[in-house]
């Protein structure tokens, strides 16, 4: 990911009234990790930096990654410590995991077929199955649907009418949605 994020907080009292020993520290609360103290970066993460202007302290995170998400805390160490919290949500577009997703299949007529589609992203993507030609998916002899939701598509007693291209579509409201085509051939002896 290439986006940068800036987390800021404003302390309650003017800088000129803080005692000489006052320190401002940023922490990743969820991991109990101290990130910065005053103008010094404590963490070994080169994407983290800190700055301040008057009474406002900024925590900068370059090239935000999914594991940067979490609860951040800015603490001003005065006689009575002051703490400000903020939560960083990181969204990631969906990505279909090819090695965990079914590839083209040849199935004997009358056999059962199971297709699997796995996707990553944040929030977790929803999987929808459709046929490329917009015809219905015959789940079994009594149920045909325009689309199927879930990581697994099971077709019982497949027939030659079920032959075609199936689309696995992954969406999580973070554009773009992604899809993979899986060609199903039926061996009609």
């Amino acid at each position: 990911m290439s986006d940068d994020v800036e987390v800021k907080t404003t302390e309650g009292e003017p800088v000129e009234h803080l005692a000489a020993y006052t320190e401002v520290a940023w922490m990743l609360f969820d991991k109990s990790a101290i990130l910065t103290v005053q103008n010094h970066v404590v963490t070994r993460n080169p994407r983290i930096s800190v700055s301040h202007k008057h009474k406002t302290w900024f925590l900068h995170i370059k090239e935000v990654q999914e594991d940067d998400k979490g609860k951040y805390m800015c603490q001003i160490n005065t006689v009575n410590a002051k703490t400000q919290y903020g939560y960083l949500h990181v969204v990631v577009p969906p990505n279909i995991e090819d090695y965990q997703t079914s590839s083209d299949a040849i199935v004997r007529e009358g056999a059962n077929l199971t297709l699997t589609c796995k996707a990553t992203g944040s929030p977790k993507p929803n999987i929808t199955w459709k046929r490329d030609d917009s015809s219905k998916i015959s789940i079994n002899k009594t149920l045909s649907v325009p689309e199927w939701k879930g990581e697994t598509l099971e077709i019982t007693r497949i027939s030659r009418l079920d032959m075609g291209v199936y689309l696995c579509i992954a969406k999580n409201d973070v554009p773009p949605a992604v899809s993979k085509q899986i060609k199903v051939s039926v061996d009609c002896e």
Side-chain angles (χ1 to χ4, degrees):
M1 302 186 73
S2 61
D3 295 338
D4 295 348
V5 70
E6 183 176 89
V7 184
K8 71 176 183 175
T9 186
T10 304
E11 60 185 82
E13 60 186 85
V15 168
E16 59 267 21
H17 295 146
L18 295 176
Y21 58 87
T22 299
E23 290 183 337
V24 175
W26 280 98
M27 288 156 260
L28 180 50
F29 189 79
D30 297 342
K31 297 179 182 173
S32 300
I34 297 173
L35 304 174
T36 68
V37 176
Q38 289 300 93
N39 292 318
H40 305 289
V41 176
V42 177
T43 181
R44 292 187 177 161
N45 186 338
R47 298 179 299 108
I48 301 285
S49 63
V50 65
S51 67
H52 75 280
K53 190 173 192 178
H54 304 295
K55 296 184 284 182
T56 305
W57 287 83
F58 300 91
L59 177 69
H60 307 276
I61 306 171
K62 294 180 183 174
E63 300 169 10
V64 174
Q65 299 171 3
E66 189 172 2
D67 63 353
D68 292 326
K69 71 181 175 187
K71 188 176 185 180
Y72 286 80
M73 178 175 80
C74 177
Q75 187 171 56
I76 302 165
N77 295 319
T78 57
V79 175
N80 295 317
K82 296 180 181 188
T83 304
Q84 188 86 30
Y85 295 94
Y87 194 89
L88 176 62
H89 294 276
V90 179
V91 295
V92 179
N95 181 48
I96 294 175
E97 297 292 327
D98 282 334
Y99 69 97
Q100 291 186 309
T101 297
S102 298
S103 52
D104 295 350
I106 300 173
V107 186
R108 175 168 279 155
E109 189 168 28
N112 296 337
L113 171 68
T114 300
L115 298 176
T116 303
C117 183
K118 300 278 187 177
T120 59
S122 182
K124 185 175 179 359
N126 294 312
I127 306 294
T128 304
W129 293 89
K130 292 184 178 183
R131 291 197 52 181
D132 191 41
D133 63 2
S134 299
S135 60
K136 288 188 173 184
I137 299 172
S138 297
I139 302 299
N140 55 45
K141 297 303 169 203
T142 60
L143 177 63
S144 292
V145 294
E147 64 180 40
W148 185 260
K149 295 193 182 303
E151 291 183 344
T152 304
L153 172 64
E154 294 181 9
I155 300 174
T156 57
R157 301 199 58 199
I158 200 164
S159 80
R160 65 190 77 194
L161 298 174
D162 299 316
M163 204 170 353
V165 175
Y166 290 76
L167 295 174
C168 156
I169 304 162
K171 294 182 187 176
N172 68 352
D173 296 329
V174 182
V178 291
S179 65
K180 179 180 179 180
Q181 294 183 340
I182 301 169
K183 183 179 179 185
V184 174
S185 300
V186 178
D187 183 6
C188 310
E189 288 184 2

